[in-house]
Structures are given as structure tokens and as C-alpha cells.
Amino acid sequence: MAQLLRTEAPASPEAVAALLREAKGDGLRVRVRGGGTKLGWGAVVPEPDLELSTSRLDRIVEHNAGDLTAVLEAGVRLAEAQAAFAEAGQMLALDPPLATGSEASSRDGGLAPTCPPGFAGATIGGIVATADAGPLRHRYGAVRDLLLGITVALSDGTVATAGGKVIKNVAGYDLAKLFAGSFGTLGVILRVVVRLHPRPRTSATLAGETDDPGALARAASHLARAPLELEALDVRWAAGSGTLLARFGGVSAETQARRRVGALAEEGLAASVETEDETVWETQRAAQRSTDGVVVRVSALPTELERVVWTADRLGASLVGRAAAGVSWLTLADAEPVDELRAVLAPFPCVVLDAPVEVRDRIDPWGAVDEAELRLMRRVKERFDPAHILNPGVFVGGI
């Protein structure tokens, strides 16, 4: 495998644009790096010629507490941003695991994780580029729903801005939504304008346990349809046992949680309420990552939860998921069951995220893709990166 030619860490949007213009002229393959917590995601490709680090684009440019908005450069660590927002009683409603495996479990707790000394973790740019999300997605939506604006550098050296703080728009495209989940294949995210929310002062979690996937799915559906303002509604499954987790926030959180204990009991779940619940959600987020297993993200309909849980159980996988969004993360001991998993849950996408290097070398992380969708994605790639210098081959279909 070819060795990395060089690493650059430009300190301004103009410097990023100039670097990309140079790379295009020289035909260099470019990889964008934030915190490096998800470099193993996507298809395995040769080492790039140039690694462009966002480590010096690390400013909280604005925090408009009165308007509940902020402008963040791509290299800002999520934990650092949350610590700043927490001082104003606010949060950015993104809570993906900030690292991998046990490191994620021990360091990113709470509704708004803080930044422990000496810990780096995921950056805003990397989280947007991979559309990574945690349990707060239930109430506040996915990454793309929290973006009010975005500034990016394209491979020809163009700097484009769309949405809030508009400088220049690329006609016909919603850049913020387009770049969310693009894996760095369209351009370099320079800064984002984000929507903030009040940070609940207290929380309580209603937990219901069962060994019946059907009961778990029915209880989740019941809570998802109830007129509740839950912070999160998650499920987990491992070794034949499942748990439904419903998190309430605000001064009446514990009262609201205890009122629903009977409803879970009616569904056959053994229910309890946890008021010191940060560890519960640390564990839940951390289970989306693995250092030695194979993590597969399944994007199904919420009504398919029972089938997804049964499949995980039969294949010996552990599972965590967003009950109302239909998104689950299954962790397998090895890659052997991946093909069967995809066959059983077709046509729902089953994307391999974390996996050991030897597994990533022999498996397509993206799986089968509809040809019409793939043609559209290729046209978008041609429009934004016609030279194919940005993360070439990492995305779906070798994009």
C-alpha cells in the first residue's frame, strides 16, 4: 500500500481552498481528517497522497445564545462545543459516541458531553460528514435537521456557503443536507451554522426489560405513538434479553417516567425508573462502536423492529437502536453473518461501519445499492468533484 505523501493543516478557508486547487492541478488524492475517530468507515482504499487536517479550524466563531444558534468551524471538538453551550444552559442536540469502544463509553456521558482533560474525540466536521447521531435523534432529528447553514471548499478551490450567514449559494442544491453523510467525497466542510436547544437540567429514564422481541417492539411502538416529549426512545438487545429505554427531561422528568411504569407492565415488561441515568446512556451510545467486533448499521422501518431484533438474536449479535427512527446498530463477533443479515433484512440498507482491518479488506461495507440511486449519486459527485480527488472510492459504488 502506498505511503501517505504529506499532511497539511490549513488555518483558514482560503488556505483550504488553495490547497485543494493545488491538489486538483497535481492530480493528488485527498483525505479529509477531523478527530480521526471514524477513519475506518467506508470502503478500504489506498493511502491518499494528501491528508487535509481540520485541526486548526477549531474556533467557535459565534454563539448567539439569545437566538439559540452557533457558528462552528469544522475542527471544533463536539465535547468542547457542548461545554461552552452548557454554560448558557444550552446544547447542540447531537450525542454520538465521541470515540471508539471503551473510550467512548467512559468519556462522553450526559445529555451534553463535556470535554475531559487530554481527550480529543469527534469533531463537528466529521460528525456532519458521516451523519453520525446518538439517542437525542429521537426528539431533535438527525444531523441534517440541526444544520442552518454550511460553508464548504470544493475541489476546484471554490468556497461556497448556503443557508444561514449566506455569502454565496450554489444554485439548485441544499448544501447542508447534501454534505451531511457525504463522507468527504464532495468537498471539505469548513464551518456550519447549527440550531441549539435548551439543555434539560434533570432527566429520568423509564426502563422496561423483557426476553420477548415482540413485547419489546410493541412497547416501543406504544411509547413512540404516545403524546410524550421524550428526549430519547431507545432499545437494546443482547444474549436473549432486551431493554426499552425512554428518557424524560425537565423538572417533571421523574414524575412523567413513573406515570408510565404501568403501561410497560401491561406490555409484559418489568419496568423501573432511573434518575441517575447518565451511565445508562453512556453505555447505549458506546455500543454503537466496537474495536474488535463488526458493527452493522441497519436502517429499517420502525415497524420492522421486531424482525430486526429477532435477526440479531438468531445471529448472536448485540443491538442498540433508535426505536422510533428504525435505525439499529448490530455488533457481530465476525463478518461471516453479514451476508445472511443483509439477505434477511433486504431491502433495508445494512452498512458495515466498524470492523477489523482484515474484515474491511474483504467485504463491501455498503452492500447492494439501487442502480437509479447510484446514478444520481455519481452525477452529484461529478458536479462537485469532477476530478475525483476527494476520498475517491470510499463511498457507495466506489464514489
Side-chain angles (χ1 to χ4, degrees):
M1 182 175 288
Q3 295 298 309
L4 179 67
L5 183 61
R6 73 181 200 269
T7 298
E8 298 282 353
S12 69
E14 295 75 21
V16 173
L19 196 60
L20 291 181
R21 192 180 304 114
E22 174 192 333
K24 180 184 177 183
D26 295 339
L28 302 181
R29 293 165 296 126
V30 180
R31 176 174 68 202
V32 186
R33 180 189 179 108
T37 62
K38 292 178 275 288
L39 284 181
W41 289 11
V44 176
V45 295
E47 280 292 287
D49 304 306
L50 171 65
E51 184 173 77
L52 194 160
S53 169
T54 61
S55 60
R56 297 175 68 191
L57 297 172
D58 60 352
R59 295 183 304 139
I60 299 176
V61 180
E62 296 179 24
H63 176 198
N64 305 303
D67 294 331
L68 286 168
T69 62
V71 182
L72 308 172
E73 289 189 326
V76 173
R77 309 287 176 175
L78 176 61
E80 294 173 351
Q82 298 288 34
F85 301 149
E87 293 179 2
Q90 298 174 355
M91 67 177 183
L92 174 57
L94 290 176
D95 61 336
L98 300 185
T100 306
S102 60
E103 188 178 49
S105 175
S106 63
R107 310 238 192 179
D108 69 335
L111 282 167
T114 55
C115 186
F119 177 57
T123 62
I124 295 297
I127 291 168
V128 172
T130 56
D132 200 14
L136 288 178
R137 176 177 174 173
H138 171 80
R139 179 171 183 179
Y140 301 99
V143 172
R144 57 187 289 166
D145 300 310
L146 300 171
L147 298 179
L148 300 176
I150 193 168
T151 300
V152 300
L154 306 180
S155 62
D156 63 357
T158 300
V159 174
T161 298
K165 309 291 181 181
V166 171
I167 300 170
K168 176 181 176 182
N169 283 306
V170 176
Y173 295 96
D174 185 332
L175 287 187
K177 288 182 171 57
L178 197 61
F179 272 68
S182 64
F183 275 66
T185 58
L186 301 180
V188 179
I189 297 171
L190 300 172
R191 65 174 57 173
V192 292
V193 185
V194 294
R195 184 193 315 276
L196 304 179
H197 290 86
R199 184 181 189 273
R201 294 183 179 180
T202 60
S203 65
T205 295
L206 172 65
E209 298 187 4
T210 179
D211 59 3
D212 179 0
L216 183 69
R218 287 191 297 273
S221 178
H222 174 81
L223 284 180
R225 295 195 310 269
L228 303 174
E229 288 192 351
L230 294 172
E231 294 294 310
L233 179 60
D234 260 34
V235 295
R236 64 180 177 223
W237 186 271
S241 179
T243 305
L244 176 64
L245 299 168
R247 193 175 205 184
F248 297 81
V251 293
S252 63
E254 183 178 356
T255 300
Q256 293 183 68
R258 294 196 183 283
R259 284 176 180 171
R260 272 78 189 184
V261 168
L264 288 195
E266 289 177 5
E267 298 286 350
L269 278 67
S272 61
V273 174
E274 179 62 62
T275 55
E276 300 294 331
D277 61 353
E278 288 191 4
T279 301
V280 172
W281 294 96
E282 289 173 15
T283 302
Q284 191 72 357
R285 286 192 297 272
Q288 294 176 209
R289 304 297 305 269
S290 178
T291 55
D292 52 6
V294 176
V295 177
V296 182
R297 185 183 62 210
V298 178
S299 302
L301 297 172
T303 52
E304 296 290 334
L305 177 59
E306 181 178 355
R307 180 157 70 105
V308 175
V309 174
W310 274 117
T311 303
D313 187 65
R314 185 165 60 82
L315 297 178
S318 61
L319 174 150
V320 296
R322 315 285 96 88
V327 183
S328 302
W329 288 258
L330 279 64
T331 301
L332 301 156
D334 54 59
E336 186 176 344
V338 170
D339 288 341
E340 183 179 355
L341 175 67
R342 286 171 167 166
V344 171
L345 296 181
F348 301 118
C350 299
V351 177
V352 176
L353 299 176
D354 291 324
V357 174
E358 62 272 16
V359 171
R360 295 177 56 235
D361 279 335
R362 57 184 172 84
I363 193 170
D364 179 359
W366 302 103
V369 184
D370 179 80
E371 281 299 319
E373 294 178 1
L374 187 55
R375 285 195 297 271
L376 176 60
M377 287 187 279
R378 284 175 173 157
R379 288 201 298 270
V380 173
K381 173 71 170 178
E382 288 293 335
R383 169 64 180 84
F384 283 86
D385 180 26
H388 289 245
I389 66 167
L390 292 166
N391 266 0
V394 166
F395 204 46
V396 182
I399 292 175

